[in-house]
Amino acid sequence: MCGIVGYVGKQSASPVLLEGLKRLEYRGYDSAGLALWEKGGFEVYKKTGRVEVVGQLVTKAKPASNMGISHTRWATHGGVTDANAHPHVSFDGKLALVHNGVIENFATLKRELSSKGIEFKSETDTEVLVNLIAYLYKSAIDEGSERDSATLLTAMRAALAQVEGTYGIGLICTDLPDQLFGARKGSPLVIGIGRKENFLASDIAAFAGRTQDVVYMHDNEVVHLRADDFTVTTIQDAAVAPVISHIDWEVENSELGSFKHYMLKEIFEQPTALENAMRGRFSQDGSTAQFGGLNLDARELRQVDRILFLGCGTAWHACLVAEYLIEKYARIPVEVEYASEFRYRNAPMFRNTLVFVVSQSGETIDTLEAQREAKRKGFRVLGITNVVSSTIARENDGGIYQHSGPEIGVASTKAFISQIHIAGMLALYLGRMRDMSFSEGGEIVKALKTVPGMVAQILTMADQIEAIARKYKDYEDFLFLGRQLMFPIALEGALKLKEISYIHAEGYPAAEMKHGPIALISPKCPTLAFAHKGEIFKKSLSNIQEIKARKGPVIAITNAGKEFPDGLADDVIHIPECHDIAMATLSVIPVQLLSYYIAVLRGCDVDKPRNLAKSVTVE
Ligand code: AGP
């Protein structure tokens, strides 16, 4: 993970870098740091904790430098300490480096450098890389090379050629005023081209509003930036003609407003996220959905006889919802795999398989690599992503943008709901190409359109759900049970609760409870159970009875109204009855709110839970 930002220009660098880092904190927030070029050396500010902690140090010092690099860390190699925070300065004080990625052969390289007398101050793989480049640079100078950018670039290339693993790096050198260097392999890196200033970052968000012209770097490329120019080459030193993309920044509201946390704000933005996911996506005759960006015509789509969905975490849960809905309404067999497993599994795949990857950020490394593997095998890969121009979106063959707006809270809420709503629309679209009738299509379109209003109605129950949260906040274990379409929602509920409140929670298909998890049931382990109307309603009620018989507290979520037996559950959350296509969308709202309030009541940092990052860009 980790986010890097570099700046070279005429402005004071530190405010630019700090603002950029704040916007990249979703990539990790274990520590933050800046290195600013100063005549004869660097000024380095780094500290464990959030960007604002290092920001206070910098603001006090008021550095005037016009060039620097910075970093927000999600720890991989080495604990969360000041010494392990980036930037790392080389043994001779000549180079400072920030890094996003993992140097897999760092131990071997470190041994070799140590044998040459180089001492290390941190436990990081990054310090190995900066020392390796510095060692090669110093050796070249000792042999008579100039202290110039050509010598440094040669040293960088030689060092990177020895590195196994992934990196997006930013590098500055005391010998080279006003020059900034970068390289990428496996971790994102983008150049921002300004007027007499240039930027380097892990994500364009870092320089949003400062320039609209960007160059997305590719793997094995190196960049050399000056304030008024930049050059891209490959690691093998071949020239690269950079492709400049013009970004239209969507002016989106990233302010908290009256909300206490981004997560709560984003939960309340869900009706709008759903409207945005549907806008312009229904046919004129009101019988089906339409998607502009799939880059597949109806004939090609009819030939698809299997779909594979790939994703991680919450996005994987959205894939499971998609499986259920597409198999039910379009009758196409769907498989779902963790992207992280798929990429190494070499699974046999049917010829006419269409692959969908689902990712809010569009940067999750496992999902990106799974996409690359499916493409290498010759499969058509489409994406459901939220972040426009993210790496996944740029590299796939087409897809569907969610238009959920920025999701800042680490726990995904509005992005999930929009993914599963899109899954419903996709089921409709594919179903209409097969056996679904015009009138059934029309009914589903109507049902999908009513969902934002129903979500808004459930959100009015926030106070009731907060009161339930008060009763359950001190438990340390939770079970979430749901059958069929509610199984992925049970998994999502368990994930939401554990990631933000640190309560141990497990999701299970309700009937599976008897095959093991029932052993956990006791007055100390509450269960959240979904019991919706339909063919398995009675079975779901029986499962609740089995829990009550073992004195397990139960919170039920139901759309059965008065049909839900009085007194069966300890607490009941009633949601509106709706078409099956929208049941998952409505059912997830109460579990999001319940998890949120429990976490707040336990005093947890809801938007930045411990050990997590919004975008998981390392394996
Ligand atoms: C969600 O609450 C999690 N923080 C996490 O599981 C997330 O959904 C997962 O890392 C995938 O992220 P992506 O959608 O950006 O690929």
Side-chain angles (χ1 to χ4, degrees):
M1 270 93 90
C2 307
I4 68 174
V5 191
Y7 174 78
V8 53
K10 303 284 173 245
Q11 300 187 55
S12 167
S14 56
V16 178
L17 296 175
L18 286 168
E19 185 186 84
L21 283 188
K22 281 285 285 169
R23 298 215 184 114
L24 296 194
E25 263 192 317
Y26 73 87
R27 304 179 72 89
Y29 37 78
D30 287 334
S31 62
L34 282 78
L36 302 166
W37 188 90
E38 285 295 328
K39 212 165 176 197
F42 301 118
E43 279 184 22
V44 177
Y45 307 85
K46 57 182 193 176
K47 193 111 197 83
T48 53
R50 307 283 156 85
V51 171
E52 63 190 52
V53 176
V54 85
Q56 283 159 10
L57 297 180
V58 177
T59 316
K60 245 192 227 160
K62 293 199 183 68
S65 170
N66 302 123
M67 186 185 77
I69 50 175
S70 60
H71 188 268
T72 177
R73 179 171 189 240
W74 185 84
T76 56
H77 292 65
V80 180
T81 62
D82 290 351
N84 289 336
H86 298 217
H88 289 282
V89 176
S90 60
F91 64 93
D92 55 358
K94 284 276 163 203
L95 306 182
L97 182 104
V98 286
H99 168 220
N100 165 210
V102 174
I103 309 295
E104 287 169 1
N105 58 338
F106 83 102
T108 316
L109 297 172
K110 192 170 183 172
R111 258 195 313 275
E112 284 167 18
L113 290 166
S114 300
S115 71
K116 295 181 165 84
I118 291 173
E119 284 178 15
F120 289 83
K121 300 180 206 83
S122 79
E123 303 152 313
T124 64
D125 50 344
T126 305
E127 195 187 3
V128 176
L129 180 57
V130 73
N131 278 336
L132 179 59
I133 302 172
Y135 175 78
L136 295 170
Y137 179 65
K138 185 176 178 302
S139 308
I141 285 166
D142 291 347
E143 284 164 20
S145 297
E146 294 295 324
R147 290 179 186 278
D148 60 12
S149 58
T151 306
L152 182 58
L153 281 162
T154 305
M156 259 177 93
R157 289 195 176 95
L160 294 174
Q162 296 181 46
V163 157
E164 287 164 22
T166 56
Y167 52 80
I169 57 170
L171 176 77
I172 54 177
C173 173
T174 54
D175 292 338
L176 303 167
D178 306 329
Q179 301 185 49
L180 171 61
F181 301 83
R184 107 156 239 185
K185 186 181 160 205
S187 302
L189 203 58
V190 57
I191 302 161
I193 309 155
R195 280 167 58 93
K196 298 208 165 61
E197 59 181 1
N198 285 315
F199 309 83
L200 184 69
S202 304
D203 179 344
I204 54 170
F207 43 77
R210 294 188 183 274
T211 174
Q212 290 182 280
D213 294 323
V214 305
V215 174
Y216 294 102
M217 288 180 67
H218 300 104
D219 279 352
N220 301 312
E221 286 181 354
V222 175
V223 64
H224 175 200
L225 296 140
R226 283 81 68 204
D228 48 8
D229 198 12
F230 70 97
T231 321
V232 183
T233 49
T234 64
I235 296 222
Q236 292 76 27
D237 200 13
V240 172
V243 178
I244 300 176
S245 309
H246 192 73
I247 301 289
D248 283 325
W249 296 112
E250 285 178 39
V251 186
E252 286 172 314
N253 186 4
S254 301
E255 302 300 314
L256 258 181
S258 57
F259 289 96
K260 223 171 133 196
H261 297 100
Y262 281 107
M263 181 179 176
L264 189 63
K265 177 180 181 248
E266 286 156 10
I267 290 173
F268 274 82
E269 283 172 347
Q270 292 184 118
T272 314
L274 293 172
E275 296 284 6
N276 292 345
M278 288 191 286
R279 186 161 299 115
R281 286 183 170 157
F282 291 117
S283 62
Q284 284 283 345
D285 64 11
S287 73
T288 189
Q290 56 191 22
F291 299 100
L294 296 184
N295 302 330
L296 283 173
D297 61 30
R299 215 174 46 136
E300 290 170 303
L301 278 168
R302 266 194 300 271
Q303 276 162 12
V304 170
D305 49 31
R306 220 162 256 264
I307 301 180
L308 171 64
F309 272 88
L310 301 167
C312 298
T314 286
W316 183 76
H317 299 154
C319 295
L320 294 176
V321 173
E323 175 185 29
Y324 179 91
L325 294 177
I326 292 172
E327 289 194 338
K328 176 166 180 175
Y329 292 102
R331 310 295 303 157
I332 303 173
V334 175
E335 276 180 62
V336 176
E337 276 214 48
Y338 283 114
S340 52
E341 292 295 310
F342 172 80
R343 61 179 288 204
Y344 291 113
R345 210 166 69 80
N346 193 23
M349 285 171 73
F350 286 85
R351 210 159 24 135
N352 292 332
T353 298
L354 176 63
V355 179
F356 266 95
V357 296
V358 182
S359 173
Q360 185 286 130
S361 62
E363 299 294 347
T364 301
I365 190 76
D366 289 319
T367 314
L368 173 63
E369 289 298 340
Q371 166 168 297
R372 287 176 177 161
E373 174 60 6
K375 278 177 69 83
R376 274 193 291 270
K377 288 188 162 170
F379 289 92
R380 190 83 78 121
V381 183
L382 303 179
I384 297 176
T385 48
N386 188 34
V387 177
V388 175
S389 293
S390 52
T391 311
I392 287 177
R394 280 183 285 116
E395 290 191 15
N396 59 29
D397 299 304
I400 304 169
Y401 274 127
Q402 300 178 214
H403 303 304
S404 318
E407 190 180 68
I408 293 164
V410 165
S412 186
T413 52
K414 65 176 181 174
F416 175 70
I417 210 173
S418 110
Q419 286 162 354
I420 60 178
H421 207 60
I422 287 168
M425 292 160 71
L426 198 56
L428 162 69
Y429 181 59
L430 297 170
R432 281 290 292 135
M433 287 176 183
R434 288 168 172 81
D435 297 331
M436 187 189 288
S437 70
F438 182 86
S439 63
E440 188 183 359
E443 266 172 42
I444 290 179
V445 170
K446 276 195 203 129
L448 288 167
K449 286 183 175 172
T450 59
V451 179
M454 288 181 164
V455 170
Q457 196 184 325
I458 298 172
L459 290 172
T460 64
M461 295 159 61
D463 289 347
Q464 182 206 335
I465 295 170
E466 184 178 7
I468 296 175
R470 276 182 202 286
K471 277 176 70 179
Y472 292 88
K473 70 178 171 54
D474 294 323
Y475 286 94
E476 291 304 330
D477 298 284
F478 252 89
L479 268 186
F480 284 72
L481 301 181
R483 303 178 77 125
Q484 298 190 3
L485 185 53
M486 287 305 108
F487 168 51
I489 303 306
L491 291 175
E492 174 61 9
L495 178 65
K496 281 292 87 88
L497 187 66
K498 73 184 124 191
E499 72 179 331
I500 59 169
S501 70
Y502 319 139
I503 293 173
H504 163 242
E506 292 188 44
Y508 268 95
E512 275 297 298
M513 177 184 69
K514 295 189 287 293
H515 301 282
I518 198 161
L520 296 174
I521 301 292
S522 80
K524 288 185 176 166
C525 177
T527 299
L528 188 140
F530 293 98
H532 291 325
K533 269 167 91 167
E535 45 182 17
I536 46 157
F537 182 50
K538 289 207 173 110
K539 309 265 179 224
S540 305
L541 296 182
S542 305
N543 293 142
I544 295 177
Q545 250 144 7
E546 287 153 12
I547 300 165
K548 289 310 302 171
R550 286 156 184 88
K551 299 194 172 32
V554 174
I555 306 168
I557 297 180
T558 180
N559 65 7
K562 289 199 164 65
E563 285 177 48
F564 188 87
D566 270 348
L568 176 60
D570 299 84
D571 291 279
V572 185
I573 300 170
H574 290 279
I575 64 169
E577 208 181 329
C578 65
H579 193 287
D580 192 46
I581 200 108
M583 202 123 95
T585 314
L586 298 190
S587 302
V588 75
I589 318 279
V591 293
Q592 293 171 339
L593 284 168
L594 191 69
S595 306
Y596 169 78
Y597 286 119
I598 288 179
V600 171
L601 290 163
R602 288 167 73 100
C604 300
D605 187 346
V606 172
D607 285 333
K608 291 197 172 74
R610 71 181 179 208
N611 304 339
L612 289 174
K614 182 74 182 158
S615 182
V616 181
T617 58
V618 291
E619 275 190 71

